[in-house]
Amino acid sequence: MSKKKYHYKIKDWTFDPITSELTNGSEKIHLQNQVAKVLIELIKANGQTISKKELLEKAWPNTIVTENSLDKTVSELRKVFGDSRANAQFIETLPRKGYRLIAPLKKVEIENQAIPVIKKGSWLKWGIPLLVLSIVAIIYIFNKNTEAKKILSPNGQIIASIKKDGANYALFTENITNGKVDTLDSFSKPESTVISWSSDNTSIIYNTTLAKTDFYSINVFNLLTKKVSYIKFPKEEGMTFSSLKPQGSPSKSLDHKKLSQRNSTVHYITYENNDTIKVLFNDKKISDFKW
């Protein structure tokens, strides 16, 4: 039996609710968690007005959040679309009522074809194609771990991305207002491409761990000082947890705690100014950051 999933066409954009990614041609933007949740609720409303109270309850369940946080999140979403409140083409604000999605919306069904059953004596007919499909799938999964990633800053002004740059990978930023693109850091191909923003918009955290090393490596680029801090800790149990090493300063230990559950592990690392970075792992690879 074939499995079905859906994407949504929002004017010229395509939104994948599973990965929280918006694409427009070659442009791909990964939405932060709350921004994606607000967009999903607007899509569910299907052009109808949804109140601020309802959006807050659904996008921030069991959490006390002010309307100001919702307004900022909607503003970030508008910036991604290149939209504005004064001349709304995507999201309309209805004073004292709420918001509604006014851009053309279409639900697109995507089918994954079921694999055919191989009958006895037909291995030549089906065996070779299936072998080819298996090889392609392995290559796809391998490359997916290091595909280009983009993520919007919490204030909606800068897009940070990691993508291939010649023989290496690089960290880029793009200013949405003026279109300026900067290359901030260059490094070897990481075993998983993971990137996130600090909540105050000043720092970008990204994975630079190599597949054939004993240590996890995480870089933190400070946009104010233009310096990189390096966080390293061992992949194997029993090795000493390491360190923070900003450029030009000695390394020092960082307080941390580790929680494990089945294939998932979380490290809580106390960073500068008592900020806590949550590093999520899946199958022993870094899969996400939460600042």
Side-chain angles (χ1 to χ4, degrees):
M1 181 180 295
S2 62
K3 297 181 180 180
K4 298 178 181 178
K5 67 176 183 177
Y6 298 92
H7 288 178
Y8 294 91
K9 289 287 294 183
I10 308 171
K11 204 172 182 179
D12 299 327
W13 293 83
T14 300
F15 176 61
D16 184 342
I18 297 176
T19 63
S20 298
E21 286 185 337
L22 271 170
T23 56
N24 187 348
S26 61
E27 185 175 4
K28 180 184 290 187
I29 297 176
H30 180 83
L31 298 182
Q32 297 252 20
N33 189 36
Q34 298 309 132
V35 179
K37 284 184 178 181
V38 168
L39 178 57
I40 288 171
E41 295 306 323
L42 289 170
I43 289 172
K44 287 180 179 178
N46 196 27
Q48 300 299 309
T49 302
I50 181 168
S51 68
K52 288 187 176 183
K53 180 181 178 182
E54 188 176 356
L55 269 175
L56 286 169
E57 289 174 349
K58 291 184 176 180
W60 287 269
N62 304 316
T63 305
I64 299 175
V65 182
T66 64
E67 286 190 3
N68 185 50
S69 296
L70 173 60
D71 294 340
K72 286 183 178 179
T73 302
V74 172
S75 178
E76 291 173 20
L77 190 53
R78 281 195 174 115
K79 288 178 181 177
V80 172
F81 286 126
D83 199 18
S84 68
R85 177 172 178 169
N87 185 27
Q89 301 294 317
F90 286 84
I91 302 171
E92 181 183 24
T93 300
L94 292 91
R96 296 182 297 279
K97 291 184 178 180
Y99 299 100
R100 71 187 184 103
L101 189 65
I102 59 174
L105 177 66
K106 182 179 180 181
K107 188 176 183 179
V108 181
E109 180 182 301
I110 299 175
E111 286 198 16
N112 297 324
Q113 298 296 324
I115 297 175
V117 176
I118 301 176
K119 296 181 179 180
K120 185 177 181 180
S122 62
W123 70 271
L124 282 175
K125 181 178 179 181
W126 294 110
I128 294 176
L130 285 176
L131 178 60
V132 172
L133 284 174
S134 299
I135 294 172
V136 170
I138 292 170
I139 294 173
Y140 170 77
I141 293 170
F142 177 80
N143 288 334
K144 187 174 177 61
N145 287 329
T146 53
E147 65 184 2
K149 290 290 181 66
K150 291 185 178 182
I151 190 164
L152 184 68
S153 61
N155 63 11
Q157 295 179 1
I158 302 174
I159 296 173
S161 62
I162 289 180
K163 55 187 176 181
K164 190 169 177 57
D165 184 34
N168 292 323
Y169 277 67
L171 172 67
F172 298 89
T173 55
E174 179 182 353
N175 190 301
I176 292 178
T177 304
N178 57 29
K180 183 181 178 183
V181 176
D182 291 314
T183 305
L184 306 183
D185 192 15
S186 180
F187 42 90
S188 298
K189 180 180 181 181
E191 66 178 8
S192 60
T193 308
V194 187
I195 182 173
S196 186
W197 281 88
S198 63
S199 56
D200 61 3
N201 305 283
T202 63
S203 298
I204 303 168
I205 184 169
Y206 48 106
N207 182 34
T208 57
T209 305
L210 303 179
K212 296 181 179 180
T213 57
D214 295 330
F215 283 82
Y216 293 108
S217 299
I218 301 169
N219 287 12
V220 181
F221 191 96
N222 189 306
L223 296 174
L224 301 179
T225 64
K226 306 298 182 185
K227 290 186 177 181
V228 181
S229 298
Y230 306 99
I231 300 174
K232 293 187 178 182
F233 51 99
K235 292 182 177 179
E236 299 297 330
E237 296 289 342
M239 299 176 68
T240 304
F241 180 81
S242 189
S243 61
L244 164 74
K245 188 179 181 183
Q247 288 176 337
S249 65
S251 63
K252 63 179 180 181
S253 296
L254 296 176
D255 292 333
H256 86 292
K257 63 178 180 179
K258 173 185 174 183
L259 298 176
S260 297
Q261 184 177 6
R262 295 184 180 179
N263 292 332
S264 299
T265 304
V266 181
H267 277 273
Y268 293 86
I269 302 173
T270 303
Y271 191 61
E272 296 174 325
N273 302 319
N274 291 321
D275 285 341
T276 299
I277 299 171
K278 184 164 66 172
V279 186
L280 289 80
F281 294 81
N282 198 351
D283 291 329
K284 296 185 178 181
K285 290 183 180 180
I286 295 176
S287 60
D288 199 4
F289 296 116
K290 300 294 182 183
W291 199 299

